[in-house]
Amino acid sequence: RSVRIVHQSTRVTIVQRSLKRDANKARSQPGCRVTFVAEVGSYRDEGYRGLRSGDTQSIITIMNGTAKYSEKKAFIVDTDAGNFSDDFWALALQLCDPNIDIRLVVTSGFETKLKTKVVAKFLTHCGRGDIPIACGIHTHECTYLLPDADGLLQQQECFVEGCVTNPVLRRWAQNYDLSFYRGEIFGVDSDDHHDHGLKQVETLINENHGLTYVLQGSSENIGYLLDGDADIFRRNKVHIVCMGGTIEKEHEYNFSLDPVGTRRMLAASDNVTVIPIEPSFLARLHGVEHFDESEDPDPKHSSYSLYLNGDSRISMAMAQLQLALANYGTHKEVADGRTDIMFDSVAAFVASGRRKDLYIIKDMVATIDDKGRIIPAQETSNEESALSFSVMTEWASARAADEFKFLLARTIAAGSFAD
């Protein structure tokens, strides 16, 4: 439907025409995309043609007359997007990565029918209104949110000074007409709160051996799937990557919302990677006023400026979303030329499998207490309840954390992964 040529030349046209047979062959592959690549002198000429909207299962890269086939990583993204900006930074990063095929976005976190509108509107603004969305389990959500001592929003039933409306993006999304969304949406047509779209999640997992399930919220959707099929994740060799838990703090939001469900989730697969909150505290784009005196204050060297000056649809969508969150009472960091802590973007980055040299992953045997604390088995007397999983314990260095931030900023600014 669209073709982009970085450098136009007759030779490129000839190369592409000579590969017509390969392109036709590609069309027989369900959900396939083709990337044309040709070398012309010192230029690298690229074009892209989406052969059909919706899910993509493979990439065909054609270089110098040779067709090369490679599989994309199939992802299901389970997100509670609606209150915090980090869910959207994570989605933006995943949308920019050509190696990731988002088969489905699943909404979670209480008022999922409204959050389905939030996700649909955001994906549409990013130019990816073709991605299917499943409405997760709908439960009661407190009317307000109140910042805790660390500035993190917590559920609050009754209004007190300092509260904001929950979910924050309620007004931003409430008038979005889902009938205009191009992709399929599962589980929002009924007024019955017990009606949801998780059957589609079950189908995808069973049909796509070895996919990655990125959990950017609490675990109630996974708990529902396990109730129906306790072995669904292990049998299908699903890699679960979840943002949650704390090693050093006294409380963590995602894991503590449903401690029992969290433990079930961590035990559901032989391949589970946890990203606790500690490494994420270094994941925040900032402007020149946040540089140390020894650093170069040139705006072009600030990660926030790199992102803000981007021209991609995804960077524009993120800019509008940040302003909406600030307008509705949270994440006012945008006025200071910086972002909120981007917890889920770290999980999305680890799930991508890119730049593993930037962070440290360790195998761990640990228990999870009701406050979401990750307690190594040797530090607890309750070793029988210990679980085995991998943990991103830290960045490889302070420089590595900075490199991640600049990589994220460049990627979203360009709309494609800037490795």
Side-chain angles (χ1 to χ4, degrees):
R1 295 190 176 187
S2 63
V3 176
R4 178 176 63 87
I5 304 296
V6 177
H7 172 72
Q8 184 68 43
S9 78
T10 304
R11 183 176 175 185
V12 173
T13 303
I14 293 171
V15 170
Q16 291 181 351
R17 286 175 180 170
S18 69
L19 294 170
K20 184 176 180 180
R21 182 166 49 189
D22 293 286
N24 287 334
K25 182 178 180 181
R27 288 185 173 87
S28 67
Q29 305 297 319
C32 190
R33 286 182 174 182
V34 173
T35 300
F36 296 102
V37 181
E39 296 293 338
V40 182
S42 60
Y43 294 95
R44 190 169 189 267
D45 300 45
E46 296 183 291
Y48 162 80
R49 174 170 294 162
L51 295 179
R52 65 180 265 194
S53 62
D55 296 340
T56 58
Q57 294 181 354
S58 60
I59 298 174
I60 299 177
T61 300
I62 304 172
M63 182 175 291
N64 294 333
T66 303
K68 299 179 181 179
Y69 297 77
S70 61
E71 289 296 316
K72 300 182 77 172
K73 290 184 177 181
F75 271 42
I76 293 177
V77 180
D78 188 326
T79 177
D80 59 359
N83 291 324
F84 304 91
S85 63
D86 62 319
D87 294 271
F88 299 98
W89 285 107
L91 263 175
L93 182 63
Q94 290 158 340
L95 292 174
C96 290
D97 194 330
N99 292 341
I100 291 176
D101 174 12
I102 301 179
R103 301 288 177 86
L104 186 69
V105 175
V106 189
T107 55
S108 66
F110 306 106
E111 201 167 347
T112 52
K113 290 183 183 293
L114 177 61
K115 289 184 176 182
T116 296
K117 285 190 172 185
V118 172
V119 170
K121 183 173 181 178
F122 178 71
L123 290 175
T124 298
H125 287 185
C126 290
R128 290 305 311 274
D130 58 298
I131 296 176
I133 304 172
C135 181
I137 295 174
H138 184 105
T139 58
H140 171 70
E141 185 159 24
C142 291
T143 308
Y144 303 102
L145 294 170
L146 183 67
D148 62 16
D150 294 323
L152 303 177
L153 298 175
Q154 305 296 339
Q155 300 280 325
Q156 177 73 22
E157 191 65 57
C158 301
F159 180 83
V160 297
E161 186 176 355
C163 279
V164 295
T165 302
N166 180 32
V168 176
L169 292 174
R170 178 183 300 275
R171 284 175 287 169
W172 183 77
Q174 64 184 0
N175 293 324
Y176 179 79
D177 189 346
L178 288 176
S179 66
F180 289 106
Y181 189 75
R182 291 189 296 121
E184 289 187 274
I185 298 180
F186 304 91
V188 294
D189 295 332
S190 172
D191 292 330
D192 183 359
H193 289 336
H194 297 289
D195 185 24
H196 46 69
L198 296 187
K199 182 66 177 177
Q200 183 65 17
V201 181
E202 179 184 351
T203 300
L204 276 175
I205 291 175
N206 283 323
E207 291 180 352
N208 296 273
H209 195 73
L211 63 71
T212 299
Y213 193 105
V214 186
L215 181 59
Q216 298 170 189
S218 52
S219 56
E220 63 268 17
N221 289 332
I222 287 182
Y224 176 87
L225 294 168
L226 292 173
D227 287 342
D229 183 351
D231 199 41
I232 185 171
F233 291 93
R234 180 170 284 105
R235 181 179 67 252
N236 291 292
K237 297 190 181 302
V238 175
H239 181 199
I240 299 175
V241 180
C242 63
M243 190 277 131
T246 178
I247 297 173
E248 300 173 356
K249 300 287 185 178
E250 292 299 314
H251 175 266
E252 192 281 318
Y253 183 81
N254 284 349
F255 278 15
S256 64
L257 277 178
D258 183 8
V260 174
T262 294
R263 297 178 195 118
R264 292 182 69 198
M265 175 271 295
L266 294 173
S269 175
D270 294 326
N271 189 5
V272 178
T273 304
V274 174
I275 289 77
I277 58 176
E278 282 77 13
S280 300
F281 290 129
L282 295 177
R284 189 198 302 258
L285 304 188
H286 58 75
V288 294
E289 70 276 15
H290 301 284
F291 276 71
D292 294 333
E293 291 183 3
S294 61
E295 295 181 289
D296 187 345
D298 190 329
K300 70 181 181 182
H301 294 155
S302 104
S303 55
Y304 190 83
S305 294
L306 280 175
Y307 140 71
L308 193 62
N309 294 332
D311 297 318
S312 73
R313 288 187 64 170
I314 294 175
S315 67
M316 299 296 182
M318 282 302 309
Q320 194 226 32
L321 188 98
Q322 281 195 288
L323 287 173
L325 286 167
N327 183 60
Y328 297 146
T330 62
H331 304 305
K332 296 181 180 179
E333 302 89 354
V334 63
D336 296 328
R338 58 192 175 94
T339 68
D340 185 30
I341 301 169
M342 298 185 292
F343 295 103
D344 291 327
S345 64
V346 181
F349 179 63
V350 172
S352 75
R354 293 182 179 269
R355 294 302 307 275
K356 294 181 180 180
D357 58 303
L358 296 182
Y359 54 87
I360 296 172
I361 296 278
K362 292 183 179 179
D363 293 332
M364 184 175 291
V365 178
T367 60
I368 309 298
D369 72 7
D370 289 349
K371 293 184 177 181
R373 293 181 296 186
I374 302 171
I375 305 172
Q378 61 268 27
E379 298 177 15
T380 177
S381 58
N382 190 16
E383 294 189 13
E384 292 182 359
S385 62
L387 302 163
S388 298
F389 48 87
S390 300
V391 179
M392 177 192 172
T393 55
E394 59 186 329
W395 297 100
S397 64
R399 183 178 181 85
D402 286 338
E403 193 168 344
F404 162 72
K405 291 185 289 187
F406 276 90
L407 186 151
L408 176 69
R410 291 194 304 272
T411 292
I412 292 177
S416 59
F417 203 89
D419 204 345

